Amino acid sequence: MQGPARQIVAVFKTSLTLRGSQNFLGARWVMASLRLMPERYKTPFALWLLSLSPHYFFTRDRQAEARRNSESRRQLVRDLLSDMLRPGMHVIDYGCGPGYMAHAVASCVASVEAVDLSPGVIACARILNFARNIEYETVAEFGQRNQYADMAYSFAVVQHLTDGRLRVALSLLRHRLRSKGQLVL
């Protein structure tokens, strides 16, 4: 990284008191930085942000981690979802994180509604895993919509939810699924 991107990274490195936690990804500066970042620096900056959280990347090689995430999610779609996906479907990815699985599903369906708690992770997902038929949104935005979905899935999320939050998530998903819709956890 060079120029303005390097300066922004230097400023934020000193302010990351929550380093090692993914909570900082919800900070307003994350979304503002990604919006203001010159286009050519957005992908490396988004990968750098995700690398600060132990939740998304396991090694220091951000490009390799992005490839690993992308390939592992494509494999999950092939192994677990491909028999259930149809071209005209509207699908919800609940707990999409950086959007790797939403991106893998998007090529098989009409639209994907990718939902995550963290607005910063959503901002990174829009950069790293953009597709015309993916709409990234926060849980709050998701709760305000009424469009029905044919399927909802959630992987690597439900085990992190308290019983109360799991009940809320399941209630939201039930409200958004068609009567014959599928929920895959």
Side-chain angles (χ1 to χ4, degrees):
M1 253 184 271
Q2 301 174 20
R6 182 174 291 262
Q7 291 169 350
I8 290 171
V9 168
V11 169
F12 294 130
K13 272 188 177 179
T14 61
S15 67
L16 284 175
T17 57
L18 296 174
R19 187 179 174 100
S21 164
Q22 72 185 48
N23 295 339
F24 75 91
L25 289 167
R28 284 186 297 228
W29 65 261
V30 171
M31 287 76 67
S33 299
L34 286 166
R35 264 192 317 276
L36 297 172
M37 183 74 51
E39 200 61 41
R40 66 182 177 170
Y41 297 122
K42 285 185 179 189
T43 296
F45 189 65
L47 290 172
W48 176 75
L49 286 168
L50 293 173
S51 76
L52 297 175
S53 169
H55 193 71
Y56 301 111
F57 292 175
F58 303 119
T59 68
R60 291 175 122 5
D61 186 342
R62 295 185 285 270
Q63 294 294 329
E65 285 293 292
R67 285 189 301 275
R68 180 191 61 79
N69 275 302
S70 183
E71 180 50 41
S72 69
R73 294 336 181 262
R74 280 194 302 269
Q75 188 65 44
L76 279 172
V77 170
R78 281 192 298 269
D79 293 348
L80 302 175
L81 297 177
S82 64
D83 291 343
M84 295 178 262
L85 299 173
R86 302 289 174 259
M89 293 177 89
H90 173 71
V91 175
I92 297 169
D93 179 335
Y94 193 83
C96 68
Y100 292 103
M101 193 146 177
H103 194 262
V105 167
S107 64
C108 305
V109 299
S111 62
V112 177
E113 191 174 341
V115 183
D116 201 88
L117 183 64
S118 170
V121 173
I122 291 292
C124 291
R126 286 183 181 122
I127 292 166
L128 299 173
N129 288 297
F130 172 82
R132 291 185 198 278
N133 63 335
I134 301 175
E135 184 170 346
Y136 290 103
E137 61 193 5
T138 64
V139 173
E141 293 164 333
F142 172 74
Q144 295 173 4
R145 293 184 53 164
N146 289 316
Q147 179 184 5
Y148 287 113
D150 302 293
M151 173 192 280
Y153 64 83
S154 185
F155 294 103
V157 173
V158 294
Q159 70 270 23
H160 298 291
L161 300 176
T162 63
D163 289 350
R165 285 191 175 191
L166 179 59
R167 278 191 288 279
V168 169
L170 291 174
S171 176
L172 282 170
L173 292 169
R174 183 183 68 200
H175 172 72
R176 295 290 310 285
L177 281 172
R178 295 185 193 289
S179 62
K180 300 277 186 186
Q182 297 175 302
L183 175 61
V184 181
L185 303 173

